């Protein structure tokens, strides 16, 4: 016979599983019926994200932004078990550990290249869970299945949410943990079971280790508990009637302790490593200083910080920020109006029609989804602002909790700076109320009944609707309906006014459409090798939007393909985009400036945020050659799948990263008896097998010796005779230096070294 405690724990586990599955399954009249609308919405959301991953060229291994930093930390942790704050600040670690798990799994499978796809697939699963949580929150908060489904649809289909799994930022995991925290609070609200309150604290702690500002929202939970205690008839025990604050104190202590149980081990780690109390990270102090001071000084400030020991950087930044605030206490508030206006803009229209470059994002391929997403965002945002001004039918404590989070999120954006991903929590909260507002536009059908709370409770907890009868809410005050209506009208008009006055969208969209027509005409002509027509198309695009960097880059490509290199170089400015920087280096090499070419190309390859060699192989039109040296100067546009060039003088080479491509446009057609030759050296002790394909056909294998440079030759198949281009694919077993040698910090996936490829 089981122990009573074991029986209780088993029952709780079964109840939790049943409750979790309840979001996907409705039980009516003893017959299990699948919640097909939710299943369809989740399927659409997952499908859109997988499609986005499939067409996205982003690769964090090449990025110098936050995602690149996360990737490198995660890869080091996966390879060596060491977590090192090697960039210019200390970051939250949870999403890094999450990435490291999937990178390690790929390494265990012997497929390091699968690490990033594993992460993207895992993030897609988290996105699916987020959609389900959104449904659960909307349904439970507003006692409306329709509101839950609409909120799930918003989370599923809006472009900014769809894009998240394709990149390695923290927002996706953070939003999932935040919604889990809210859902658990609502479960506690309707059931009174303390385990849900405890789990909400654990979820908030995990969210804090993803984005540290979540820690300070413990105050919102305490506020929620205080207001909840004052508006619900739950003091059914004599002691609690006499000392009502004991209940709030106990509940608050529980959620705070559970949150800190997740956070404090990381705080202890920081103290042990840096001998300073750093609760989670140092982003806040450093970002505050950088945002308060002049923008043109930011690079100097970052260089200064990097010269300091990691433990001293936050204190130094905070002291500089204090000096600025003492001299000008109103400094953080001066640009707030412009920043505030910047929030309320058409999200995708700004990215697609206004920005100077797409920055490797597949905006053109996803334009239909993005442009349909803006009306979706507009509808949910307008509805959400109106919904927040409606009577708090979800309960006063829940309304105040949401408003506190919304105000906090807005304040952090206004004080620091606006980035689209920083706004996601704001749109999530507003979208939740927008779903409620939109759901209320259609009255329930006759056979439908409001959702009910079926859980057994330890204390008497009325539903949110019944809690409105409390005089605390003041909902029966005769003047309030008119005031609420006026507030709703003001919010709606204010939002629309902010949107329409921020930019002249009709003219922006019209010029953007003209730009896109020119771009597409130019790209079609360029692909057909009609470079004068391509030039005309790209000039048309530039005439429609003169500051569009991508059109200027494509025009430079068309001019370079016609041999007009000086004219092409004159169109490009360093720093406009990584692709334009790469082309600057290529043109410099073609015009004889080897030093400039070598430095510019190496930097572009390292921080492009994509596999820029693959882009160059597709879009550059280099001159015909029978031989190329992999020296990082004259090989761009011929190769892909190699690391940056290394070595000095005429002894430069590239590492093959497992699988690479070499495309040689030949000055003369292939002749009978010609061979393909490589000058190579192995990267591991012994020999490394190298398999070679030409034109999709395997032509042989050579064993490359380590420690010596030799030429290796393979005959070119007779069926390739007469062809003017040789497309070569190379594959060899890989290794990671950091896994082979404890003293190495090289985390690249390498195979062997190649110095030259030629047809002879």
């Amino acid at each position: 016979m089981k122990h009573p405690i074991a029986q209780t724990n088993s029952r709780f586990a079964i109840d939790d599983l049943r409750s979790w599955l309840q979001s996907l399954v409705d039980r009516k009249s003893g017959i299990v019926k699948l919640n097909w609308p939710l299943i369809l919405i989740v399927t659409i959301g997952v499908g859109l994200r997988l499609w986005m991953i499939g067409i996205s060229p982003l690769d964090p291994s090449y990025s110098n932004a936050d995602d690149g930093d996360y990737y490198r930390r995660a890869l080091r942790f996966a390879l060596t078990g060491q977590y090192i704050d090697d960039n210019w600040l200390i970051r939250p670690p949870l999403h890094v550990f999450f990435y490291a798990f999937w990178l390690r799994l790929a390494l265990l499978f012997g497929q390091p290249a699968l690490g990033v796809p594993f992460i993207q697939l895992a993030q897609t699963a988290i996105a699916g869970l987020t959609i389900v949580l959104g449904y659960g929150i909307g349904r439970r908060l507003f006692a409306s299945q329709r509101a839950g489904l609409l909120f799930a649809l918003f989370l599923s289909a809006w472009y900014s949410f769809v894009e998240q799994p394709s990149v390695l930022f923290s927002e996706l995991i953070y939003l999932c943990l935040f919604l889990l925290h809210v859902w658990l609070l609502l479960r506690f609200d309707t059931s009174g079971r303390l385990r849900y309150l405890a789990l909400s604290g654990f979820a908030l702690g995990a969210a804090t280790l993803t984005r540290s500002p979540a820690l300070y929202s413990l105050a919102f939970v305490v506020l929620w508990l205080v207001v909840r205690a004052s508006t619900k008839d739950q003091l059914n025990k004599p002691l609690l009637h006499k000392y009502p604050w004991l209940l709030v104190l106990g509940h608050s202590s529980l959620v705070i302790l559970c949150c800190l149980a997740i956070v404090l081990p990381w705080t202890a780690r920081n103290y042990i490593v840096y001998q300073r109390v750093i609760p989670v990270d140092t982003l806040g102090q450093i970002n505050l200083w950088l945002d308060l001071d002049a923008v043109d000084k930011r690079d100097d400030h970052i260089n200064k910080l990097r010269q300091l020991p990691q433990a001293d950087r936050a204190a130094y930044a905070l002291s500089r920020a204090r000096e600025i605030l003492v001299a000008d206490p109103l400094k953080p508030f001066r640009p707030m109006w412009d920043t505030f206006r910047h929030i309320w803009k058409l999200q995708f229209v700004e990215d697609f029609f206004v920005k100077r470059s797409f920055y490797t994002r597949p905006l053109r391929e996803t334009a239909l989804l993005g442009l349909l997403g803006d009306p979706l965002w507009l509808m949910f945002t307008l509805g959400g602002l109106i919904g927040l001004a409606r009577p708090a039918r979800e309960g006063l404590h829940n309304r105040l909790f949401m408003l506190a989070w919304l105000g906090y999120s807005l304040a952090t954006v206004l004080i620091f700076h606006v980035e689209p991903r920083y706004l996601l929590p704001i749109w999530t909260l507003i979208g939740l109320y927008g779903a409620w507002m939109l759901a209320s536009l259609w009255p329930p059908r006759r056979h439908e009944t409001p959702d009910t709370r079926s859980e057994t409770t330890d204390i008497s907890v009325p539903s949110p609707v019944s809690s409105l009868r409390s005089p605390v809410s003041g909902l029966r005050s005769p003047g309030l309906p008119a005031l609420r209506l006026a507030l709703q009208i003001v919010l709606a008009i204010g939002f629309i006014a902010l949107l329409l006055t921020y930019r002249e969208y009709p003219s922006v969209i019209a010029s953007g459409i003209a730009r896109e027509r020119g771009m597409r005409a130019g790209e079609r002509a360029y692909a057909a090798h009609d470079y004068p027509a391509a030039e005309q198309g790209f000039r048309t695009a530039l005439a429609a939007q003169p500051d569009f960097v991508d059109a200027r880059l494509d025009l430079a490509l068309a001019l370079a393909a016609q041999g007009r290199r000086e004219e092409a170089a004159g169109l490009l400015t360093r720093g406009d985009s990584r692709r334009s920087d790469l082309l600057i280096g290529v043109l410099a090499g073609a015009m004889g400036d080897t030093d400039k070419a070598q430095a510019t190309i190496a930097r572009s390859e390292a921080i492009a945020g994509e596999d820029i060699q693959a882009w160059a192989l597709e879009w550059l039109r280099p001159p015909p050659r029978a031989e190329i040296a992999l020296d990082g100067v004259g090989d761009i546009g011929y190769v892909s799948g190699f690391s940056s060039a290394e070595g000095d003088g005429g002894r430069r080479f590239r590492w093959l990263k497992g699988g690479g491509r070499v495309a040689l446009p030949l000055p003369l057609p292939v002749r009978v008896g010609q061979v393909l030759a490589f000058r190579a050296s192995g990267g591991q002790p012994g020999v490394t097998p190298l398999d070679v394909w030409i034109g999709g056909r395997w032509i042989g294998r050579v064993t490359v010796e380590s420690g010596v440079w030799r030429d290796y030759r393979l005959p070119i198949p007779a069926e390739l005779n007469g062809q003017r281009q040789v497309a070569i694919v190379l594959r060899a077993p890989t290794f990671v230096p950091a896994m082979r040698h404890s003293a190495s910090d090289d985390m690249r996936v390498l195979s062997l070294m190649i110095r030259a490829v030629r047809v002879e």
Side-chain angles (χ1 to χ4, degrees), residues 358-389:
F358 288 171
Y359 301 106
T360 73
R361 295 170 66 196
L363 297 182
R364 186 167 291 116
E365 297 84 347
T366 59
L368 179 61
L369 176 66
L371 294 174
L372 290 176
D374 272 356
L376 185 72
W377 167 83
L378 180 62
M379 180 172 57
F380 274 82
T381 302
L382 182 59
L385 293 172
I386 295 173
L388 285 166

Side-chain angles (χ1 to χ4, degrees), residues 12 24 317 366 441 540 587 630 638 682 687 705:
F12 283 166
L24 291 176
T366 59
L441 296 179
T540 300
L587 293 173
L630 276 69
Y638 298 96
V687 296
E705 296 183 29

